[in-house]
Structures are given as structure tokens and as C-alpha cells.
Amino acid sequence: MKLTVAMVAALSARESLAFVPSFNAVRSTSSTAAAQGNMCTVRMAAGMDQGASEMSSVPMGRKQMLQSAAAAAFGAAFVSANPSQSFADSSVDYKKVRADIEGIMDKDGSKGPTLVRLAWHSSGTYDKISKTGGSQGGTMRFSQELADGANAGLNNAVGWLEPIKKKYPSISYGDLYTLAGVTAIEKMGGPTIKWRSGRKDDDVAAVPPGGRLPAADKGNPMATAKGLRDVFYRMGFNDREIVALSGAHALGRCHTDASGYDGPWTPTPNLFTGATYFKLLKSISWSERKDFTPFQYQDPSGSLMMLPSDIVLLEDKSFKKYVDMYADNDKLFFEDFSKAFATLLELGTKDLVEESA
Ligand code: HEM
């Protein structure tokens, strides 16, 4: 029997609430693209021409490119280029920082998913061979990194966090961006994530080459699956972890003025409701959204979407095994997600200490 969207959402919300006793955030589920700012995409800095990004299929005019470059520069104008002196600075009260991050979401619940994406994109540039990239240097604050097409829209999230950086100058940007993702996941009902402090900000020379983040579409399922593996294996992850991490698409939405894609994956984009994403992925009959570019999938009602890189998790046998496993087991998904996300945030870091230290 095919489940309807409402049935799956109701089921998932109930299971999630039972699983997460500290659930405390039910915010507006609507998020407009306008609320996310006016960011288009362009690669404009070191290594921008390397590899494909999730934006590679989105056409862009010169005006958009200029707007995008300006927007990236604007976002970065908030931030300090000076490497932070902070290093596991005991003067930072991380509980207070967490509370201030939660304050951002109290005003606008749709900002939570974008903070999660900021933490992931700050970390997902890691290359285990060259040991470059990752969250260690807090380099997402630089216009050069924000201007990578894959990071379109993240200048907004960088800007939202800047007043917190001003208030707690000793926290490093790397710590702030990763802590924002962890705080957002927990506030939206997701699992507890282990987080440690002590990233030390680096200067602009440490900005990783562009094109290190995964492409949503490489033209056909085999190429898209290979693209995911190339990127996540480079970080040191395996197929199970790729699928677990993809479950974050329970959150948030695509914005036409960022990635070019459009819409949320689930009916509750500001809630991390167990394995909802996997239940919907499996149970709905997804079809091509006609008359829309870039190519994406939609549910029969037209209200939900999937990227080609989401659908490929069903099409690839090894990925599908884990989709089935998580769709049937919210608890296991939360456990695996929590571990994989904590690992992601620490790729390439060193000398981290427990938050309370
Ligand atoms: C597997 C490869 C992945 C691809 C190709 C991909 C692609 C995308 C795209 C195209 C968007 C829309 C951005 C926008 O238009 O604003 C997006 C949003 C998002 N992604 Fe992913 N993603 C991937 C993996 C992940 C992972 C590993 C996480 C976290 C663990 C994640 C978390 C998110 C979140 C939370 C959003 C919503 C952001 C918002 O609402 O502003 N994604 N992703």
C-alpha cells in the first residue's frame, strides 16, 4: 500500500516525539525563498572551475552572476578576516552561545535548516588525502568560499551569526558555524550531537578549492551516485554514512534563488522528525516536475520534491539497503545520523576539547 504524505508525516511526527523527550520546537513550517535572501550562484574564486557542484545544471545570466558576487561579498563584509585568537577559550560560555543561536530560530523557524546546511558545507570540503578543507579554519566567512556555487544562500546564515560572534569575540568562526548546526538540529527535534570546541580560525589562504561539495545531478543516476561516492569517500565516509547524512533532507527546502531547485522534501521542514525523509522517499510515487528547470522530482500533489541525488538512493542497490533500514527504524537512523554528523563536523580538526571544559 502506498502511504499518503499526510499519513507518513503523522506517523513520523508521532514516532519522533516519542523518541525525543526534549522536543521543544514547533515553528512555522513555511519558508519563503525571499526570506532566505537574494543569492544566485557563481564561482568566482580560487579553484572555482574544479568539478561540478549542486549548482552545475543551473543556468545563470551575467546580471545574476554580478548580483551573486555582490551578495557573497556583502555576506563576507560582516565578518573579520583576522584569524581568531580563541582556542578552546574557557571564557566562552557555550551554553549562552547556544541560547543565542536558538534565539535566531525563535524569531524565524525556517532559519534552522539553513544553519544545519552552513555547518555541513563548512565541514564537507574536507579531503582526507591532502588534509585540507573542513570546519577547522572557519573559512566559510570569506567571500571566496561563499561564492562557490554550492554555497549559494549561505551568506545569509553567516550574517545571522555575526552578532553572536561580536557578542562572544573569543569563539572561533569554525566553532560558531558548527555549533549553530548542532544547536539547530537539537532544537528542531533531532538527535543530540556530540560537539567539541577548539577550532582555530585560519586566514583566506586556507579557503579550499571550489567544487568539493556534492552535485545534485550529474546527468544520469550512475554518474550522480558516483559523484556522491567521490565526494563522501574523499571525506572518509562509507555508503551507510552517505545515506544516514542524507536523512538531513527531512529539514528545510530548496530555494530557486539559491540552488535553483524548488520546494521542501517533507511537509514539516522545520522539524527533524525521525526517518520521515526515508519513509517519504520510499512510499511516494515520484515523477519528473514538468516545465521546470533544473530537473527535479515531485510528489503527486506537487507540494514536495526530491533531487536526483535523493532518488539515486533508491536506484543504487547499496544505498537502497540503508534507505530500507532507516525507513523502518527511526531510532537507528537518529543514532547513525548523530554519529556521522559529529564526525563530519570534526573532519580535519585537532586538539578539540569537551564543550564544558
Ligand atoms: C548527498 C548530497 C547532497 C546534495 C546533492 C545536497 C543538495 C542540496 C540542495 C541542492 C539544497 C537546496 C539549497 C537551497 O536551494 O537553499 C540542499 C539543502 C539542504 N541540505 Fe543538502 N545536499 C546533500 C547532502 C546534505 C547533507 C549531508 C546534509 C546535512 C547533514 C544536508 C542538509 C541540507 C539542509 C538542512 C538543507 C536545507 C537548507 C535550507 O532550508 O535553507 N544536505 N541540499
Side-chain angles (χ1 to χ4, degrees), residues 7-19 268 271 273-274 276:
M7 285 161 75
V8 173
L11 182 71
S12 303
R14 201 188 59 217
E15 287 170 358
S16 170
L17 287 168
F19 182 67
T268 52
L271 290 179
T273 47
T276 311

Side-chain angles (χ1 to χ4, degrees), residues 148-314:
D148 186 313
N151 292 330
L154 290 182
N155 63 319
N156 295 314
V158 163
W160 302 331
L161 293 172
E162 196 51 24
I164 300 181
K165 170 68 179 167
K166 293 264 171 343
K167 193 166 163 190
Y168 308 94
S170 295
I171 193 170
S172 67
Y173 281 106
D175 279 353
L176 181 57
Y177 297 160
T178 50
L179 184 58
V182 164
T183 306
I185 286 172
E186 292 175 3
K187 185 169 170 68
M188 291 186 286
T192 304
I193 316 271
K194 179 183 156 203
W195 181 84
R196 300 187 299 167
S197 69
R199 292 164 190 77
K200 190 172 177 357
D201 288 339
D202 219 330
D203 59 28
V204 71
V207 168
R212 283 195 179 181
L213 292 158
D217 191 359
K218 294 279 229 175
N220 66 68
M222 266 175 68
T224 301
K226 179 177 182 310
L228 293 185
R229 289 195 170 96
D230 286 348
V231 166
F232 282 93
Y233 288 3
R234 187 206 66 225
M235 290 180 240
F237 288 116
N238 59 31
D239 285 1
R240 179 170 173 158
E241 290 164 319
I242 293 174
V243 177
L245 286 168
S246 298
H249 283 171
L251 298 171
R253 58 182 298 131
C254 293
H255 304 89
T256 49
D257 58 3
S259 63
Y261 294 102
D262 181 34
W265 289 267
T266 74
T268 52
N270 299 342
L271 290 179
F272 204 162
T273 47
T276 311
Y277 164 83
F278 297 111
K279 295 185 210 306
L280 292 172
L281 188 59
K282 277 187 69 177
S283 62
I284 285 181
S285 172
W286 298 99
S287 61
E288 176 185 352
R289 177 167 165 185
K290 303 274 186 223
D291 305 319
F292 186 80
T293 309
F295 179 94
Q296 66 176 61
Y297 293 88
Q298 66 177 8
D299 75 319
S301 77
S303 59
L304 303 180
M305 64 89 62
M306 288 284 163
L307 299 166
S309 54
D310 297 305
I311 296 296
V312 98
L313 302 181
L314 292 175

